[in-house]
Amino acid sequence: MAHETTGFGLMEYELVIGLETHVQLNTLTKMWCGCANEYGSDSNTNVCPICLGLPGVLPVLNETALRKTALTGFLLNCSVPGYAKWDRKNYFYPDNPKNYQLTQLDFPSTVGGYVSFESFGEIVKVRINRAHLEEDVGKSFHFADYSGIDFNRAGVPLLEIVTEPDINSAEMAYDYLNALKNILEYGAVSDCDMEKGQVRCDVNISVRPRGQLELGEKVEIKNMNSFSGIRRAITYEFKRQVEVLEKGGTLVQETRRWDDDAGLTDSMRTKEDAHDYRYFPDPDLMPHRPSDEWLSAIREGVVELPLDRKMRMVSQYKIPHESADVFVREPLLGDYFEQAAKGVENSKSVANWVINNLQAKLVESGTTIDGLKFSPAAIGELVDLVEGGKISSKIAQEVFNEMFKSGVSPLDIIESKGLSQVSDTVQLKAFCEEVVAANPASVDDFRDGKDAALNFLKGQVMKVSRGKANPKMVGDLLREMLVD
Ligand code: ADP
Ligand code: ZN
Ligand code: MG
């Protein structure tokens, strides 16, 4: 946390942050026309008179965008009012062909929720003011002596999620953004591909002396597209603003730009007010009045939230938080684990297998979970075999590798390869005697009180038995043979 590790002056100030996160919805088509909502097409190929803002055209609402918005609202604990309307935000900019952006000013599609997430090992809450729908604009490209605009992005549905100023550190902002992204991915409302600019943030930052109720003047850094960049920008801004105040200066509400290479912000313009945009209700679009049936159908699509899933996994399977974190970040792996753990006593061991062995193998072989040759139940079977003493965990490793290659079940592999653990005392004694006879020096060491020598001998027995000896029994037998 910046204000606890940097200079003394910072301690006396509180950092206040509010985030406006713009997320492209993953609809097939754009918000008001049938053009493809598709990244990576040739410039200006996904365009039509509507999204190019030619005169005389009429927008037609994309219902999927409305549904995904309502679903997001539910996932963010918002309510979905019975009335939402569309407004024109008027401004001129080359990437905005209509000279206005359609948005929802005073009657947004969802209002008043919160996001719960983990930050500094605690569960914290950030209130959501609203999540409203608007449209994306085109993208400008600047070349050596001219600029170009690609309108493929113009009219793509954009959900703007606005927090209350509840965030008080750069790290908490970072954690919030990751949690939000995770929730949106769970709801499958957006692909949240940062590289494709599908998540962009306006970051509002102010400071105030600790204990002061009134908020300070805020600085807004617009259009940031990297979470770690946001974290750095906040840390920088906090220091800068406190320094201004400490030197007796005043802060003004302004828009600043983050220069990632230089690692600083600089002023772009003092902030415009809402009235500068001449907002007015769009005369071409009907307000949206969601019916109860429409809303309850959407409610059925509400999924378990990442944090809820994590807490459930920890208590249901008695797995460590770190393991549950992995499953929450990678939901497919988590689903796989839950299937594998079904009916298995030691679900913690199943989790270890899935995370340490399966995941590593998947990465190593470039396979995905759906490409696996064995079912999740096979992992459970493998764990049960180890637990039941049928095979050692070392042999289990071998069985797993074979299973990964061939898809044959663990039991079949063990039988066909004769890998069952040897727990027969007579057989084990024979192994031990062989090893004791071959290693007199270690035997003497052990008798002289060097306990490590026993481990060495044990290892030799495992080797002689080609990993099949029951390690616990070997230890007991050796001790018995040598201590007399
Ligand atoms: P604007 O009208 O300038 O867009 P809003 O009141 O709509 O301002 O708030 C935009 C975002 O800025 C919200 O996320 C809000 O929580 C945050 N915010 C508002 N005031 C402050 C402040 N003084 N410091 C930090 N964030 C703020
Ligand atoms: Zn179009
Ligand atoms: Mg704003």
Side-chain angles (χ1 to χ4, degrees):
M1 211 162 16
H3 48 284
E4 287 183 354
T5 53
T6 36
F8 171 71
L10 296 177
M11 297 285 288
E12 290 154 30
Y13 291 87
E14 187 191 3
L15 177 56
V16 177
I17 303 156
L19 297 173
E20 300 163 276
T21 310
H22 299 84
V23 182
Q24 281 187 359
L25 298 180
N26 57 4
T27 53
L28 289 175
T29 56
K30 292 188 183 180
M31 192 66 220
W32 321 108
C33 61
C35 291
N37 171 12
E38 197 173 62
Y39 180 89
S41 310
D42 286 343
S43 295
N44 296 307
T45 52
N46 299 333
V47 292
C48 74
I50 294 177
C51 54
L52 287 175
L54 301 189
V57 293
L58 287 171
V60 178
L61 246 165
N62 180 338
E63 202 218 344
T64 306
L66 287 174
R67 275 195 274 116
K68 288 191 183 253
T69 298
L71 177 62
T72 307
F74 291 143
L75 293 174
L76 303 180
N77 305 293
C78 293
S79 54
V80 178
Y83 177 89
K85 80 169 186 13
W86 301 97
D87 303 283
R88 292 187 179 187
K89 179 182 183 180
N90 299 281
Y91 64 94
F92 171 80
Y93 204 74
D95 62 15
N96 171 27
K98 294 197 292 230
N99 287 342
Y100 61 84
Q101 179 190 30
L102 280 164
T103 181
Q104 301 182 308
L105 178 65
D106 45 5
F107 290 93
S109 281
T110 82
V111 295
Y114 62 88
V115 178
S116 291
F117 58 100
E118 283 186 294
S119 192
F120 294 103
E122 270 174 50
I123 293 175
V124 294
K125 218 180 219 189
V126 166
R127 288 170 301 153
I128 299 296
N129 175 284
R130 50 153 65 193
H132 68 260
L133 250 179
E134 50 188 43
E135 56 180 330
D136 212 342
V137 295
K139 198 167 164 38
S140 307
F141 292 90
H142 304 291
F143 305 103
D145 44 13
Y146 69 100
S147 292
I149 302 166
D150 178 5
F151 288 110
N152 284 349
R153 206 178 66 177
V156 163
L158 204 58
L159 188 62
E160 177 170 343
I161 300 159
V162 184
T163 75
E164 297 293 348
D166 289 350
I167 300 169
N168 55 34
S169 73
E171 202 57 40
M172 185 176 172
Y174 184 78
D175 293 338
Y176 161 80
L177 288 168
N178 280 304
L180 178 66
K181 178 168 179 273
N182 211 197
I183 292 171
L184 299 171
E185 285 164 347
Y186 270 48
V189 296
S190 171
D191 299 342
C192 292
D193 191 329
M194 308 292 297
E195 242 99 84
K196 296 179 182 167
Q198 290 173 346
V199 182
R200 299 176 326 256
C201 238
D202 296 344
V203 185
N204 300 272
I205 310 162
S206 67
V207 299
R208 61 180 166 189
R210 278 195 189 278
Q212 177 184 306
L213 283 181
E214 201 188 324
L215 292 174
E217 289 291 346
K218 73 176 158 82
V219 156
E220 181 168 8
I221 309 175
K222 282 199 180 284
N223 223 3
M224 298 205 61
N225 58 10
S226 124
F227 293 170
S228 53
I230 290 170
R231 184 165 58 183
R232 289 174 66 213
I234 293 171
T235 304
Y236 173 86
E237 244 332 277
F238 183 40
K239 255 182 107 181
R240 186 192 69 82
Q241 292 185 18
V242 167
E243 263 164 34
V244 170
L245 295 180
E246 290 280 276
K247 283 186 188 140
T250 47
L251 293 161
V252 288
Q253 189 171 323
E254 62 178 339
T255 302
R256 295 178 74 89
R257 192 173 54 95
W258 170 246
D259 181 336
D260 200 68
D261 295 327
L264 50 80
T265 63
D266 50 60
S267 185
M268 286 169 75
R269 54 189 144 95
T270 50
K271 177 90 171 81
E272 59 290 298
D273 278 322
H275 66 248
D276 294 327
Y277 289 115
R278 306 268 167 213
Y279 280 98
F280 65 85
D282 187 88
D284 295 336
L285 285 160
M286 298 293 286
H288 181 225
R289 293 184 175 82
S291 68
D292 290 344
E293 299 77 55
W294 190 82
L295 285 173
S296 48
I298 291 166
R299 258 190 204 284
E300 310 223 319
V302 170
V303 293
E304 185 182 30
L305 290 173
L307 184 60
D308 295 337
R309 182 173 207 207
K310 173 175 171 181
M311 293 316 179
R312 177 181 59 77
M313 281 184 157
V314 167
S315 77
Q316 182 176 343
Y317 300 109
K318 315 275 178 287
I319 56 175
H321 280 241
E322 295 72 27
S323 307
D325 281 335
V326 174
F327 293 141
V328 165
R329 267 198 311 273
E330 305 204 27
L332 290 181
L333 201 68
D335 292 346
Y336 192 90
F337 159 70
E338 293 210 72
Q339 288 172 44
K342 240 178 230 150
V344 180
E345 184 82 32
N346 190 346
S347 36
K348 195 173 155 189
S349 175
V350 176
N352 287 338
W353 274 95
V354 171
I355 293 171
N356 300 331
N357 301 81
L358 180 64
Q359 202 186 22
K361 264 278 195 246
L362 286 172
V363 172
E364 180 193 303
S365 63
T367 339
T368 58
I369 282 195
D370 7 297
L372 284 176
K373 293 194 180 128
F374 53 90
S375 71
I379 301 258
E381 190 184 320
L382 190 63
V383 168
D384 277 342
L385 287 168
V386 177
E387 290 290 302
K390 181 104 175 126
I391 51 173
S392 66
S393 36
K394 190 139 178 273
I395 292 285
Q397 196 71 52
E398 205 179 301
V399 173
F400 176 77
N401 290 344
E402 181 57 35
M403 210 166 106
F404 194 86
K405 252 193 279 170
S406 65
V408 175
S409 86
L411 207 54
D412 289 345
I413 294 171
I414 290 163
E415 267 159 24
S416 68
K417 297 202 161 187
L419 293 172
S420 285
Q421 180 157 283
V422 176
S423 299
D424 172 56
T425 319
V426 177
Q427 224 176 323
L428 288 178
K429 259 197 178 138
F431 286 137
C432 292
E433 274 159 9
E434 185 186 335
V435 166
V436 166
N439 297 281
S442 299
V443 170
D444 287 346
D445 282 351
F446 176 72
R447 288 196 166 126
D448 287 347
K450 284 191 197 144
D451 240 31
L454 190 75
N455 281 334
F456 170 76
L457 292 169
K458 209 169 134 183
Q460 292 306 107
V461 174
M462 294 312 290
K463 218 169 171 181
V464 170
S465 70
R466 280 183 288 124
K468 292 193 287 182
N470 178 324
K472 162 115 193 17
M473 288 180 75
V474 170
D476 293 346
L477 279 173
L478 281 171
R479 218 174 260 284
E480 218 172 86
M481 287 168 72
L482 301 179
V483 182
D484 53 13

